[in-house]
Structures are given as structure tokens and as C-alpha cells.
Amino acid sequence: MEGRYFYTKIREDIWQIEEDDGVCCTLIKGRDMAVLVDTGYGRRNLRAFVEKEVSTPYLVINSHGHPDHIGGNHWFDTVYALKEEGDVIRHFEGQEKQDYQLKEIGTGEEISLGNMRVRVVPLPGHTKGSIGLLVREEKLLIAGDALNQGLWLFNYGSLSMRELLETLRKTVQLDFDTYLCGHSNREYPKEGIYAHIHNIENLKLDACTKGNTIGFETYCSSYRNNNSHGSGSSHEANWEISDIVFTIDKLKYE
Ligand SMILES: [Zn+2]
């Protein structure tokens, strides 16, 4: 199926591309080089879309190894991910034969796109090898699922609540103003990360909502800061929303 992808221009040359079911990939079109972050479920020919829109060489990078972020890897020849995440990618690819090359990229590496620099930053938690791509000139962090308002901390390869908290505390110290998530075409201000930190620091298991999420027995800890933008009545103004969905084993600290 040829790609009919929809996209939202976050910046003139940074596009949030939407596939089905609200899954987003991000395309950063630099002057001399482009980067595609994630490949969605891959039901459509993402490569055809990228090559129609991009006239430079480009790299494909997985933010992490979940099936809705790596499903289109097979359209490409080479895909990059953090070494730690290779195992997660293989786990979710299962038995299907993949004929692309998975290569390693390291945190701290910086990719020059000519007019922009993109730095690979570690965001372990959602999965052990989750990464973000920090577009330095734009002060924009492309975060995959690592900072989602509804943040999942369960399933193969995910880390503990304590490790997630460490990551969040380090992430707010990075030099950026806004971030993008893998299931939204909106740009979030950094305050959203403080909501997650507040949520975890004050987490009480008996205040969590129990549920079942894709077959896992989960708990959800929620936090809303309704006082932060008090002037208007619009819910849109409130970015300080945190729902962390986890399995009980994530609270076992040694
Ligand atoms: Zn994910």
C-alpha cells in the first residue's frame, strides 16, 4: 500500500508523521542530512513517503523497540538503535524474518544535519534502551514514548519506577524547552516532565487505579496540577498531566 501519511509541521522542517491509531514518527529534514525517528506499525510504505519528501541522505533511528515504533523497519536497509535496545527490538519482532540491518548508535553521539545538530540522549525507563533525539538549535526533544502523559512502565525490557525517576530528573536538566511524544502531534512544554516527577515522588499504591492493560495487571498513578495555569478555564492550558501505568514489580527496590 502506498503511503497516505498525514503530517503536522512542528517546525518548518520537523514533521510529526501520523500513521494509524495515533502512532507518530518524526522526520527532521536538515539541509544536508535528514533523520527519521521511528517507523510506526509499518503497514504502509514509509520509505516511499520519506524519499518523496527528502532529497538528502537520511538515517532511520528507533527511539525504542516496541512494535508500534519498529514495525516499518523492514522498509529500510539500515536502522539504528541503542545497543541495549537490540534485545527489545528482537523480542517484539518475534519470529518474523527481518531483512534490514540493525546498527548501534550511542548516547552522546551528535548527528550534523548541516543547519541543525541532533544529539542522542538516554531516556531509560519505558524500555531499558529508550533514547531521545535532542534538536539542539530548536531546543526540542523527540522523546518516543519515554515521556508520554500516559507513561507505560511494564512489559518486556521496561525498568523500575526508581530508574524512571532518575531518568526524569536528569532529563529536565537537559537544554530544551519542549518535547514531542510518540502518540501525539502536539508539542509539550518541559513542565509535563515535572508532573511525572511529582507523581512518582508522591506515589501511593492504595490511591492507584487497578486495571488490565494489554493483558498485564496494572496500576495507574495519576497526578493533575490544576492550579498551575489558573487564569483560564481551558483544559488545553493544563499540560501538567501524569498517568503512570505500571506492574507491581516496578516498585520492588532492592
Ligand atoms: Zn513504547
Side-chain angles (χ1 to χ4, degrees), residues 64-69 126-127 144-146 148 152 183:
H64 67 295
H66 282 160
D68 50 340
H69 295 259
H126 178 67
T127 65
D145 285 350
N148 287 358
W152 285 14
H183 295 269

Side-chain angles (χ1 to χ4, degrees), residues 64 66-67 85 88 91-92 125-128 130 145 150-161 164 211-220 243-251:
H64 67 295
H66 282 160
E85 198 68 358
V88 180
H91 173 86
F92 286 104
H126 178 67
T127 65
K128 58 188 177 180
S130 283
D145 285 350
L151 210 169
W152 285 14
L153 198 66
F154 62 91
N155 209 340
Y156 185 83
S158 60
L159 299 182
S160 70
M161 194 68 77
L164 172 62
N212 184 295
T213 315
I214 61 164
F216 289 82
E217 188 179 292
T218 53
Y219 294 80
C220 179
D243 293 311
I244 297 178
V245 183
F246 59 97
T247 43
I248 196 73
D249 58 303
K250 299 303 168 190
L251 299 183

